[in-house]
Structures are given as structure tokens and as C-alpha cells.
């Protein structure tokens, strides 16, 4: 069994070897093998299960393309919310946006890493995590040579509240596409996309885990762009763009598999990402109010 506890500043080694369940995700399926041709100059084969995802057109979405030499982006793999704009004044209300706050936070978060386990840091992002109760929260994501670490950081008190570590060779599936609710859900369409990292090998969370809003044992993590990316000044900023993280993550996982699991493959899926929420009024209020982000709310800061 995997140790998936996330308590305060303690780290969690998420080492699960369960397999992915076929048929849960419809779209393009790409398998990257640790010892295969990917990364060696050969284009991998992409097989479609059920046809391309409907409504997912990367050519029509603004956003990013990963580039090690640049801090700017030009095109997107995931969709952005249509007509959603954050002006500079509203952006300034985010404590993470204030001068040097993010850089300072990254330094504090990196202190929790273990060089002998995680390796060198590859990149840092400020993203939105969508939990299993459909609540959006601001998270710092640090990618290392051997792991990805996700931090809940208090941008007002400048401290790490909690974090979890996922070893890259434990990840079995990475999904990219538009978010979708179940057919009988009354939740309004999100009309944007993101990515989901899974290390469950096909086993879904238990009933107790799904219905516990504070459960730290959910075997997947779902991310989308940070709201600051919708500031026209920041549309091309790597830091807030989940696509930048995705591209770096895939390369990191591929390298980790070559080193640790050369005979095995990680599955990359393109298509709708299901958010199992049917009528969550609380999450709608929570997300619309931005309660998962540290902000100055007309003199009241939380």
C-alpha cells in the first residue's frame, strides 16, 4: 500500500503500483516506454480510442509551448476560459503576484526537498489545483529530476502549510484535455482544460476517500492555469501556464522511467478529464469567490 499522508510540512512518498483501468478516458492514447524510441529521435505512435476528444482543439486556444530558453509562450495544448480576463488591478490583489513573493516562496518550498531523493530542481510553477470536491486552490508546483512536489503555501505568512511528493517513476498516467462533468450533473460547464497526473494504476479512490473533502490520499492530482494567466500582461508567462508544466513533466517522467522502469510504459491520454461533481453549490461559491487563493479583498486579507 502506498503512504499517501499529507500532514502539515511532512512529505508524502506516493509509491503506488496499481494499473490504469481501460475505458475511463476517451481520446488519444500515447504510451512512452522507458526503453523505447521516445526521446531517441523517433516519433512515437499515437493510437486513438473512440476518436479525438470533442471540443478539444489546441489550434484555437491561446497559451503556451514549452521552451527552455524562453520565459514566454505562444500556443496552447489546453483550453482557456473564453472571455475570462483578469485586469492588472485585480491581479495586484493576489499576494503571489506581489513583487518577488513567488520567487521567495519557491526558495522556502525548495528547502523541503531532499536532494538525495528528489535531485535537482527543473522548474517552478504557480498553478490552480482542482481537488476531488471540485474546489480550486492555489498551489506551488516544483518539478525535480526524480519527483514533483505540490505545496500549499501561505503567501501572507510566507510559510509552507503542507506539501506532498510524487516520485516520477510512480506516475502511470498523465491526462490532458478539457474538463467535463458527468451527464446528470447540473454543474455549469467549465469550458476550459488542464491536466491530471495519476499514480493509481486503475484503482479508484474508496468511498470514504471520495466523500472526505480533506482526504490527502487521493491517487491523482488535477491542475489548470492560474487565474493570473488571464491578465493580458501575463498571457505569455510560463509560471502560470499548466502547459509549460505538462511539457516539462512528460520529459521528466520519460527520463525517470528510463532510469528506474526501463521495461515499462507511462500512458499519455488526450481527451476529456472527468470531474465527478453533480450539484456542489459549495464548490461553486468557493471557486467564484476565489477562496482558495491568498488575496487582498478590499482590506481583508486571506
Amino acid at each position: 500500500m502506498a503512504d499517501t499522508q499529507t500532514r502539515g510540512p511532512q512529505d508524502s512518498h506516493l509509491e503506488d503500483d496499481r494499473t490504469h483501468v481501460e475505458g475511463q478516458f476517451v481520446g488519444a492514447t500515447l504510451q512512452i516506454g522507458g526503453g523505447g524510441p521516445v526521446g531517441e529521435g523517433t516519433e512515437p505512435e499515437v493510437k486513438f480510442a473512440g476518436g479525438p476528444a470533442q471540443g478539444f482543439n489546441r489550434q484555437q486556444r491561446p497559451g503556451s509551448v514549452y521552451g527552455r530558453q524562453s520565459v514566454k509562450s505562444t500556443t496552447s495544448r489546453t483550453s482557456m476560459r473564453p472571455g475570462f480576463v483578469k485586469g492588472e488591478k485585480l491581479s495586484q490583489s493576489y499576494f503571489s503576484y506581489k513583487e518577488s513573493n513567488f520567487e521567495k516562496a519557491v526558495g522556502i518550498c525548495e528547502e523541503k526537498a531532499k536532494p538525495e531523493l528528489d535531485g535537482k530542481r527543473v522548474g517552478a510553477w504557480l498553478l490552480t489545483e482542482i481537488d476531488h470536491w471540485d474546489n480550486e486552490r492555489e498551489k506551488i508546483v516544483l518539478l525535480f529530476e526524480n519527483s514533483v512536489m505540490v505545496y500549499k503555501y501561505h503567501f501572507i505568512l510566507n510559510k509552507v502549510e503542507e506539501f506532498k511528493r510524487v516520485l516520477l517513476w510512480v506516475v502511470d498516467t498523465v491526462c490532458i484535455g478539457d474538463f467535463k462533468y458527468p451527464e446528470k450533473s447540473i454543474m455549469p460547464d467549465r469550458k476550459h482544460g488542464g491536466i491530471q497526473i495519476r499514480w493509481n494504476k486503475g484503482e479508484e479512490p474508496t468511498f470514504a476517500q471520495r466523500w472526505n473533502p480533506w482526504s490527502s490520499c487521493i491517487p491523482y492530482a488535477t491542475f489548470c492555469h492560474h487565474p493570473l494567466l488571464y491578465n493580458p500582461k501575463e498571457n505569455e508567462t510560463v509560471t502560470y501556464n499548466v502547459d509549460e508544466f505538462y511539457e516539462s513533466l512528460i520529459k521528466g517522467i520519460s527520463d525517470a522511467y528510463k532510469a528506474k522502469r526501463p521495461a515499462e510504459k507511462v500512458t499519455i491520454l488526450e481527451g476529456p478529464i472527468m470531474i465527478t461533481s453533480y450539484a456542489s453549490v459549495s464548490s461553486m461559491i468557493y471557486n467564484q469567490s476565489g477562496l482558495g487563493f491568498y488575496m487582498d479583498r478590499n482590506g481583508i486579507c486571506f
Side-chain angles (χ1 to χ4, degrees), residues 228-288:
L228 288 172
L229 188 72
Y230 293 90
N231 178 349
K233 288 180 59 178
E234 305 296 340
N235 278 166
E236 297 182 346
T237 301
V238 168
T239 304
Y240 313 122
N241 197 310
V242 74
D243 300 321
E244 302 291 343
F245 170 59
Y246 170 81
E247 298 291 346
S248 299
L249 176 69
I250 295 304
K251 183 182 185 305
I253 292 175
S254 179
D255 291 343
Y257 264 67
K258 288 177 184 177
K260 298 289 186 178
R261 305 169 71 171
E264 300 181 59
K265 297 179 180 180
V266 61
T267 300
I268 311 300
L269 300 172
E270 287 195 10
I273 300 174
M274 186 65 67
I275 298 178
T276 309
S277 179
Y278 290 87
S280 180
V281 176
S282 62
S283 68
M284 284 192 287
I285 296 174
Y286 187 89
N287 295 339
Q288 290 175 3

Side-chain angles (χ1 to χ4, degrees), residues 2-302:
D3 175 10
T4 57
Q5 297 180 358
T6 308
R7 299 175 181 172
Q10 297 177 346
D11 56 71
S12 299
H13 297 254
L14 307 178
E15 302 175 3
D16 207 322
D17 290 323
R18 295 167 288 185
T19 56
H20 173 70
V21 174
E22 297 296 333
Q24 290 183 338
F25 193 91
V26 178
T29 302
L30 167 65
Q31 289 190 326
I32 297 179
V38 175
E40 299 175 2
T42 304
E43 186 70 20
E45 179 183 3
V46 180
K47 297 181 179 179
F48 287 86
Q54 297 297 318
F56 179 62
N57 185 344
R58 69 178 60 174
Q59 260 68 36
Q60 297 177 0
R61 321 280 199 203
S64 71
V65 164
Y66 172 63
R68 287 173 178 263
Q69 306 302 321
S70 174
V71 296
K72 293 193 173 184
S73 324
T74 55
T75 61
S76 180
R77 298 177 64 92
T78 67
S79 65
M80 295 178 67
R81 302 179 188 183
F84 186 71
V85 178
K86 292 277 186 183
E88 180 66 14
K89 183 177 180 180
L90 183 57
S91 296
Q92 291 291 344
S93 66
Y94 288 83
F95 279 88
S96 58
Y97 193 61
K98 298 184 184 300
E99 186 177 0
S100 73
N101 268 13
F102 177 69
E103 290 76 12
K104 179 179 180 180
V106 168
I108 294 174
C109 289
E110 193 169 1
E111 292 175 0
K112 303 296 182 183
K114 299 177 179 179
E116 69 280 6
L117 174 64
D118 303 303
K120 296 180 181 179
R121 177 163 66 85
V122 175
W125 291 265
L126 183 66
L127 302 175
T128 299
E129 182 177 25
I130 304 173
D131 69 14
H132 61 296
W133 269 52
D134 198 21
N135 293 320
E136 299 177 357
R137 293 187 171 89
E138 188 173 49
K139 294 295 178 71
I140 291 176
V141 182
L142 300 187
L143 180 63
F144 294 86
E145 292 175 315
N146 302 322
S147 69
V148 57
M149 298 182 68
V150 183
Y151 300 81
K152 180 182 179 182
Y153 184 84
H154 199 302
F155 276 98
I156 299 176
L157 300 180
N158 291 312
K159 68 175 185 178
V160 174
E161 294 190 311
E162 63 182 39
F163 71 91
K164 60 185 174 185
R165 168 187 287 113
V166 183
L167 298 176
L168 294 179
W169 57 84
V170 173
V171 175
D172 59 82
T173 306
V174 180
C175 310
I176 181 169
D178 287 339
F179 295 122
K180 183 179 180 180
Y181 291 109
E183 288 186 6
K184 296 183 180 180
S185 174
I186 63 171
M187 300 292 287
D189 291 340
R190 279 186 165 268
K191 298 180 180 179
H192 69 97
I195 70 168
Q196 188 174 82
I197 308 167
R198 301 177 185 172
W199 52 93
N200 61 344
K201 289 287 186 178
E203 290 190 18
E204 293 300 315
T206 65
F207 178 84
Q209 289 174 337
R210 289 197 307 268
W211 289 99
N212 176 6
W214 299 283
S215 176
S216 60
C217 301
I218 303 299
Y220 59 80
T222 307
F223 300 99
C224 62
H225 302 308
H226 191 281
L228 288 172
L229 188 72
Y230 293 90
N231 178 349
K233 288 180 59 178
E234 305 296 340
N235 278 166
E236 297 182 346
T237 301
V238 168
T239 304
Y240 313 122
N241 197 310
V242 74
D243 300 321
E244 302 291 343
F245 170 59
Y246 170 81
E247 298 291 346
S248 299
L249 176 69
I250 295 304
K251 183 182 185 305
I253 292 175
S254 179
D255 291 343
Y257 264 67
K258 288 177 184 177
K260 298 289 186 178
R261 305 169 71 171
E264 300 181 59
K265 297 179 180 180
V266 61
T267 300
I268 311 300
L269 300 172
E270 287 195 10
I273 300 174
M274 186 65 67
I275 298 178
T276 309
S277 179
Y278 290 87
S280 180
V281 176
S282 62
S283 68
M284 284 192 287
I285 296 174
Y286 187 89
N287 295 339
Q288 290 175 3
S289 303
L291 297 178
F293 300 80
Y294 287 101
M295 301 174 65
D296 183 345
R297 307 170 200 272
N298 295 322
I300 302 175
C301 303
F302 63 91

